[in-house]
Amino acid sequence: GGLSGGVGLNTLRIGANVVSYFYLPFCAICIFRSIDEYVRILKFATFAFLPVAIYGIWQATMGYSGWEKDYLASGFTSIADPMNLDNTRPFSTVSSPGALAYSCGIMAMVCLFFSNQKGRVSLSDTYIEWRPKLISILFFVILFLGAFVTKSRTQIVVTLGIIPYFYLLGGFKRTIFAYAS
């Protein structure tokens, strides 16, 4: 037990990697020249991930196609047990169920954030053009369902953990509190 064993340090390493996803949508703002450029790439990404989420939902409900079963049975992937392919969780077009849960979950949270009128103003103190609220909520539902069908509990909890940060990163003092926490 404790931190002297490999399990304790491994748990800390995994925790650090997981928590880093909380800040991803907010830190990405720094690499773009303007808020408008950032929002345009987010709009594209949320749209581009819809088919990824839908395909993951398809895999969860309809199963895998023949060539996917062949690939999973080949041993070239670590996400499947060749002896128990039926228990392989959906991975859609990405590398693993966890990657699908993170990517769809984060895109779902972006849609949730921008479906709120206040969220569309808070980034730059000007109104940010986004999709109509109903479309944004529909995107949220599809993308979150794409994450949910993976049964990746940690990734789903992490993406839901982003919700308080919408509020916490909305002001200087709250941002300092968020980083300190």
Side-chain angles (χ1 to χ4, degrees), residues 8-173:
L9 291 175
N10 192 42
T11 302
L12 287 176
R13 181 187 59 79
I14 290 169
N17 286 335
V18 166
V19 169
S20 66
Y21 283 97
F22 278 11
Y23 299 99
L24 185 62
F26 305 102
C27 292
I29 291 173
C30 298
I31 65 171
F32 295 99
R33 289 186 286 271
S34 70
I35 294 295
D36 291 334
E37 186 178 299
Y38 176 62
V39 170
R40 273 195 313 274
I41 196 71
L42 284 177
K43 279 176 87 169
F44 173 76
T46 56
F47 181 74
F49 266 91
L50 276 181
V52 175
I54 291 168
Y55 193 60
I57 295 165
W58 174 270
Q59 286 178 329
T61 56
M62 306 304 285
Y64 298 104
S65 65
W67 66 270
E68 287 172 322
K69 287 181 181 178
D70 291 343
Y71 172 69
L72 291 171
S74 72
F76 288 121
T77 179
S78 61
I79 66 170
D81 175 8
M83 303 311 259
N84 196 5
L85 293 180
D86 292 333
N87 285 335
T88 302
R89 296 176 298 147
F91 56 93
S92 185
T93 60
V94 294
S95 62
S96 68
L100 177 61
Y102 273 134
S103 54
C104 285
I106 288 172
M107 293 296 104
M109 292 303 117
V110 167
C111 290
L112 182 64
F113 175 74
F114 280 110
S115 71
N116 175 0
Q117 179 74 19
K118 186 177 178 188
R120 291 198 264 169
V121 175
S122 65
L123 289 176
S124 65
D125 292 331
T126 59
Y127 181 75
I128 296 171
E129 193 64 38
W130 190 253
R131 296 180 183 94
K133 185 174 188 164
L134 187 60
I135 299 295
S136 199
I137 291 172
L138 177 65
F139 277 30
F140 165 77
V141 168
I142 293 169
L143 289 163
F144 193 74
L145 188 56
F148 182 78
V149 298
T150 66
K151 300 175 186 169
S152 298
R153 294 182 305 264
T154 301
Q155 290 84 346
I156 292 168
V157 169
V158 166
T159 57
L160 289 173
I162 291 172
I163 293 173
Y165 285 84
F166 293 154
Y167 171 76
L168 287 173
L169 299 179
F172 178 74
K173 289 180 182 177

